[in-house]
Amino acid sequence: MDYETVPAADLAHSLRGVGVNILCRDVGGTARFLEAVFGLAVHRVSSDYAIVTHDGTVMQLHADATYAGHPLHGLLPEGAARGAGVQFYLFGCDPDAAAARAEAAGGAVVEVPTDKPHGLREATILAPEGLAFSPAVPVA
């Protein structure tokens, strides 16, 4: 699918499984962060919307204003960090490389890359808006 040109209805009809839709103050900034730190592919970036893909998974970034008529809009924090209680795992994304790039892209490493007992090497990195992303690979 060409994410740069696919009509909205065709994209919507193609989605399966669990969808990830992230509300952002700055769609372009969040898209650039995901690309720079984690190597995710970004498509169709505008001030209101972006498509982000990783290993066959589609995520959508929406500007807060696009949710003005949605019940979640009134729950968005004005200046606080976002995403408390939500952690986005990016399986197959090197946590050491992502952690090394995070600060330069405006992020913060809150959990350094660590081999976990469940068999993954992972880190937790906060994007500038406070969203938590965890790159993870199997422990060698």
Side-chain angles (χ1 to χ4, degrees):
M1 176 174 301
D2 182 354
Y3 292 113
E4 300 299 336
T5 61
V6 64
D10 290 351
L11 175 64
H13 292 181
S14 76
L15 299 174
R16 300 287 182 272
V18 175
V20 176
N21 188 32
I22 303 172
L23 300 180
C24 307
R25 286 186 204 92
D26 178 4
V27 169
T30 300
R32 286 188 298 276
F33 180 83
L34 293 172
E35 182 176 47
V37 175
F38 304 109
L40 304 188
V42 297
H43 311 274
R44 204 184 230 148
V45 180
S46 73
S47 60
D48 290 332
Y49 180 76
I51 298 170
V52 180
T53 58
H54 172 62
D55 197 23
T57 299
V58 175
M59 296 183 283
Q60 298 177 77
L61 306 180
H62 280 86
D64 291 347
T66 66
Y67 264 59
H70 193 283
L72 288 177
H73 189 266
L75 300 175
L76 294 173
E78 287 299 319
R82 299 204 176 186
V86 176
Q87 182 179 16
F88 298 100
Y89 269 86
L90 302 171
F91 299 110
C93 184
D94 181 349
D96 294 281
R101 295 187 294 257
E103 190 175 315
V109 177
V110 295
E111 180 185 33
V112 298
T114 305
D115 292 348
K116 300 292 184 108
H118 55 259
L120 291 177
R121 180 164 182 78
E122 58 188 68
T124 301
I125 299 168
L126 293 183
E129 290 191 12
L131 298 163
F133 293 91
S134 292
V137 295
V139 173

